[in-house]
Amino acid sequence: MKTPSRKPLTKSLVSILIANALAVSGIAHAAGETTSLGSKVGDQNAYASTAWSSISGDGRYTVLMASDGFVPGIFLYDRFTKTSKKLTAQSNSSSSAADISANGRFVAFNSGASNLVANDTNNFTDIFVQDLQTGKNELISKAADGTPSNDLSYFSAISADGRFVAFTSAASNLVANDTNTSADAFVRNRKTGKTTRVSVSSAGTEAVWGVGSNGIVDISGDGRFVVFSSGSNNLVTGDDTT
């Protein structure tokens, strides 16, 4: 299963670094200290790269992609206890592009694995959220009625409390009337189960060219605003993009 790329990064022996800019009482890192997390997620000589990092609001937790063997997965590093845990240890395919909620409880990521949730039979890379308190995985890239996506899903971003997940997907069955045959940006409300396409104009017109080829999306902490890129010229008035 081919997993799309996110932000341009060197893939050979890249280390994730964490820098503490401010002195905070009770935290192990001193102000100005930079620490490599590369050796925190397993045998430093066993994996080819670490990438796709994201940090919780208080700086305690960092999630990142790393390979401790042949299958890249998602790791969680706890800066207070200086311990790491592989969140996708049981997955049967690679996972990447993790984003952790500001409260440090939920992690959104993409994966080609078919065994993270029950009845995942669409054979596409999907978006998942893992609850770090319960260890339970939830499929995000699905329609409001639970129908799984019929094409690849790419990257995701999660709101501060973990309720809203923005993601990009080439699927055409996540919402009604998706006919542009392009990838789009969506938001799933985990509380209500509603999936909404957000890469549309203010009048609801779908983007003629969908979202940007890199598929990167981000969401505000309160879940109200979503940012995405698009080459479409019909989303706002006066856009003369060609």
Side-chain angles (χ1 to χ4, degrees):
M1 179 71 65
K2 183 178 180 180
T3 303
S5 302
R6 196 182 185 185
K7 298 176 183 177
L9 290 169
T10 303
K11 288 295 184 178
S12 176
L13 296 177
V14 175
S15 292
I16 296 300
L17 303 173
I18 182 169
N20 187 21
L22 300 173
V24 180
S25 177
I27 296 179
H29 283 53
E33 181 180 355
T34 299
T35 301
S36 170
L37 301 188
S39 60
K40 309 297 184 182
V41 297
D43 180 358
Q44 191 172 11
N45 299 314
Y47 50 79
S49 66
T50 54
W52 328 120
S53 59
S54 173
I55 195 166
S56 61
D58 62 0
R60 175 172 181 174
Y61 299 105
T62 300
V63 289
L64 62 153
M65 183 202 77
S67 298
D68 56 353
F70 295 103
V71 180
I74 307 301
F75 288 80
L76 174 76
Y77 177 67
D78 185 334
R79 190 163 57 87
F80 286 11
T81 63
K82 297 184 179 180
T83 58
S84 63
K85 176 183 179 181
K86 188 174 184 179
L87 303 182
T88 55
Q90 306 303 318
S91 65
N92 58 12
S93 189
S94 61
S95 305
S96 67
D99 189 40
I100 191 168
S101 59
N103 63 10
R105 177 171 177 177
F106 302 99
V107 177
F109 59 96
N110 73 29
S111 181
S114 61
N115 64 338
L116 294 177
V117 297
N119 303 313
D120 185 355
T121 59
N122 65 352
N123 295 316
F124 292 111
T125 298
D126 286 305
I127 304 299
F128 299 89
V129 163
Q130 184 170 135
D131 184 334
L132 299 182
Q133 287 189 8
T134 66
K136 183 179 179 180
N137 294 310
E138 177 185 347
L139 179 64
I140 297 299
S141 50
K142 58 183 178 181
D145 64 0
T147 302
S149 60
N150 61 5
D151 210 330
L152 289 168
S153 296
Y154 303 98
F155 301 108
S156 59
I158 193 165
S159 64
D161 62 358
R163 176 173 177 176
F164 299 97
V165 181
F167 65 98
T168 48
S169 178
S172 61
N173 65 337
L174 298 178
V175 296
N177 303 314
D178 185 348
T179 60
N180 64 357
T181 65
S182 299
D184 289 299
F186 301 87
V187 169
R188 184 165 179 83
N189 185 328
R190 296 179 54 238
K191 183 175 181 178
T192 65
K194 183 178 182 180
T195 299
T196 304
R197 182 165 54 162
V198 295
S199 52
V200 295
S201 72
S202 298
T205 304
E206 64 181 355
V208 290
W209 301 117
V211 297
S213 59
N214 59 23
I216 295 173
V217 67
D218 203 6
I219 192 168
S220 60
D222 61 4
R224 179 177 177 181
F225 301 97
V226 175
V227 62
F228 60 93
S229 62
S230 177
S232 302
N233 60 4
N234 67 325
L235 296 180
V236 295
T237 301
D239 185 350
D240 58 358
T241 301
T242 56

